[in-house]
């Protein structure tokens, strides 16, 4: 069964391609290479044993997307990762984010409207902002977005609801990711931040291997047990498997319309706990310092994942230590084998 994976050479997209093949699907990758590396296609070939179909395509180009859809007519499912996703950058370049994230989504939805497609959308826990109650459930109120990036995820979910309300015969599942970290056990694919990493775990591994001098812990006086921020870190392979579970759920005749699922572990870890887990797992001492809080960070969030366990028939299985060891293996691999 052909599954279109937009943004399929990215961090989460590439790991999802592997899990789709493991589940017997036939992924077709579309990526504009604006924030990914074409060499990941060779890495995927080493893991899955063949080179998946790949098209370099700008999904903001409506005509190009229509031509693609006219050629690839037997696509049964779509997993839509393609989007800009750096919170800080979105504050500086809002129009880049609104153009890229909305044009690509609308063009893909338009091209496949009425084709009974199972559509999985890559959403984010950022739509919850700082929840009033923790763990946060899927029916928690959506808070005003803290960034244009978060706003694009909130509005995208409204677009999806309106498509279903208009009577579309497509089915839609929106997966609200918490913090994806780690890498495939082969260490052949992983997170490839361009330039200075914004996210915690790639900064940890780059500091540990000597690419960065010191990790700054953004904030040590939050109202949390050890003063540092709490997040729900989830192994990227568990996250990838949630996309397969979403396709399987929509393949059931009992699934109709649209639904939303928290994709996390249900457990919060502080920044200092992540550092300690990294040091204990790898034996590498990390050079870090507590610094002032980062603008726009929320204090603490972790997901209630009951609905995902009961309805999506999925739960995270890999622990923080495996997240750290796989991230470290990938950092070592990519340092010795630059793409
Ligand atoms: C995690 C914690 C930082 C770097 C982001 C996106 C979100 C989602 C997941 C896409 C925070 C602290 C970080 C550093 C630090 N992505 N930190 N020093 O901000 O929770 O979420 O990734 O959907 O949309 O916003 O992730 O990894 O940047 O930060 O102390 O050098 O680590 O303050 O508390 P975040 P993050």
């Amino acid at each position: 069964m052909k599954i279109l994976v937009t943004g399929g050479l990215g961090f989460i997209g590439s790991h999802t391609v592997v899990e789709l093949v493991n589940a017997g699907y036939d992924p077709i990758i579309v990526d504009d290479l604006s924030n990914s590396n074409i060499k990941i296609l060779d890495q995927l070939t080493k893991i899955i044993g063949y080179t998946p179909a790949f098209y370099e395509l700008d999904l903001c180009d409506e005509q190009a997307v229509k031509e693609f859809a006219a050629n690839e007519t037997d696509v049964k499912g779509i997993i839509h990762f393609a989007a800009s996703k750096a919170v800080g950058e979105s504050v500086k370049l809002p129009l880049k984010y609104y153009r890229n994230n909305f044009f690509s989504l609308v063009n893909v939805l338009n091209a496949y409207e009425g084709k009974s497609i199972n559509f999985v959308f890559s959403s984010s826990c950022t739509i919850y902002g700082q929840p009033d109650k923790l763990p946060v459930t899927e029916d928690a109120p959506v808070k005003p977005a803290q960034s244009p990036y978060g706003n694009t995820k909130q509005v995208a979910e409204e677009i999806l609801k309106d498509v279903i309300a208009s009577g579309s015969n497509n089915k839609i599942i929106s997966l609200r990711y918490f913090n994806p970290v780690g890498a495939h056990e082969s260490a052949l694919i992983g997170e490839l931040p361009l330039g200075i990493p914004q996210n915690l775990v790639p900064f940890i591994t780059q500091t540990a291997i000597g690419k960065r001098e010191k990790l700054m812990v953004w904030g040590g006086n939050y109202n949390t047990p050890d003063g540092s921020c709490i997040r729900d870190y989830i192994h990227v392979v568990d996250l990838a498997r949630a996309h397969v579970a979403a396709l399987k759920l929509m393949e059931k005749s009992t699934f109709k319309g649209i639904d939303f699922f928290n994709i996390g572990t249900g457990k919060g870890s502080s920044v200092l706990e992540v550092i300690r887990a990294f040091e204990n797992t790898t034996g590498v001492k990390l050079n870090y310092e507590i610094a002032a809080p980062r603008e726009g960070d929320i204090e603490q969030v972790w997901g209630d994942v009951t609905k995902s366990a009961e309805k999506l028939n999925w739960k995270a299985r890999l622990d923080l230590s495996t997240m750290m060891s796989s991230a470290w293996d990938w950092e070592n691999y990519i340092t010795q084998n630059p793409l």
Side-chain angles (χ1 to χ4, degrees):
M1 188 187 287
K2 280 191 175 182
I3 305 294
L4 169 57
V5 185
T6 72
L9 290 186
F11 174 38
I12 303 167
S14 56
H15 285 83
T16 301
V17 165
V18 173
E19 297 310 319
L20 285 169
V21 171
N22 290 345
Y25 289 101
D26 174 13
I28 303 171
I29 300 173
V30 160
D31 202 302
D32 68 359
L33 302 176
S34 63
N35 190 26
S36 56
N37 188 317
I38 186 67
K39 299 271 185 56
I40 290 294
L41 204 53
D42 302 333
Q43 301 299 98
L44 284 170
T45 303
K46 292 174 195 164
I47 298 173
I48 61 181
Y50 76 98
T51 301
F54 169 72
Y55 295 82
E56 184 177 350
L57 184 60
D58 175 4
L59 296 175
C60 293
D61 177 342
E62 184 175 14
Q63 196 45 41
V65 175
K66 280 187 173 153
E67 281 160 22
F68 173 85
N71 284 328
E72 288 292 354
T73 51
D74 54 354
V75 163
K76 291 283 176 284
I78 297 175
I79 304 181
H80 185 60
F81 292 107
S84 302
K85 61 132 197 155
V87 172
E89 184 192 42
S90 78
V91 175
K92 296 193 192 81
L93 301 171
L95 293 177
K96 169 185 173 183
Y97 276 69
Y98 289 121
R99 177 183 181 280
N100 187 36
N101 294 7
F102 291 154
F103 282 28
S104 55
L105 175 65
V106 170
N107 286 341
V108 173
L109 287 169
N110 234 352
Y112 283 96
E113 182 41 41
K115 304 231 179 343
S116 300
I117 293 285
N118 295 332
F119 189 93
V120 184
F121 178 65
S122 167
S123 189
S124 170
C125 61
T126 28
I127 65 160
Y128 298 122
Q130 178 57 63
D132 302 326
K133 211 164 76 56
L134 288 170
V136 63
T137 58
E138 286 86 351
D139 56 7
V142 168
K143 294 272 184 82
Q146 313 254 332
S147 67
Y149 161 76
N151 200 26
T152 66
K153 291 299 181 186
Q154 288 181 359
V155 174
E157 290 199 349
E158 293 305 315
I159 291 170
L160 297 172
K161 281 188 241 177
D162 289 344
V163 165
I164 293 299
S166 71
S168 168
N169 64 9
N170 291 342
K171 299 180 183 181
I172 300 178
I173 284 182
S174 179
L175 299 180
R176 294 169 176 171
Y177 307 160
F178 284 76
N179 286 52
V181 298
H184 188 259
E185 62 188 2
S186 64
L188 292 169
I189 52 174
E191 195 166 1
L192 258 182
L194 300 180
I196 300 176
Q198 294 304 305
N199 291 127
L200 175 65
V201 172
F203 208 107
I204 287 179
T205 58
Q206 288 194 12
T207 303
I209 206 157
K211 285 179 189 164
R212 307 283 161 204
E213 205 261 326
K214 182 191 299 186
L215 169 75
M216 306 306 271
V217 174
W218 303 127
N221 294 317
Y222 283 100
N223 183 21
T224 61
D226 65 16
S228 64
C229 286
I230 294 173
R231 295 288 185 277
D232 184 335
Y233 296 94
I234 175 171
H235 197 294
V236 65
V237 172
D238 274 326
L239 176 59
R241 289 171 179 156
H243 294 77
V244 174
L247 289 174
K248 297 252 175 266
L249 177 57
M250 289 189 280
E251 285 158 20
K252 292 187 178 137
S253 57
T254 46
F255 185 97
K256 299 263 179 291
I258 186 168
D259 211 346
F260 305 84
F261 294 95
N262 283 342
I263 303 300
T265 63
K267 181 181 172 315
S269 301
S270 75
V271 175
L272 293 175
E273 283 171 334
V274 172
I275 293 171
R276 223 176 345 275
F278 178 82
E279 293 181 330
N280 294 342
T281 306
T282 62
V284 177
K285 189 100 188 70
L286 205 66
N287 182 18
Y288 69 91
E289 165 185 322
I290 309 280
R294 180 172 67 175
E295 186 70 29
D297 272 347
I298 59 161
E299 179 175 86
Q300 48 188 312
V301 62
W302 64 94
D304 178 310
V305 290
T306 317
K307 183 181 175 187
S308 290
E310 289 170 358
K311 239 186 124 181
L312 187 59
N313 187 28
W314 168 90
K315 71 194 291 271
R317 300 193 178 290
L318 301 168
D319 63 11
L320 192 58
S321 174
T322 309
M323 294 178 215
M324 294 301 110
S325 58
S326 61
W328 183 230
D329 292 346
W330 161 250
E331 185 65 61
N332 280 282
Y333 172 86
I334 199 68
T335 302
Q336 286 143 35
N337 311 274
L339 292 184

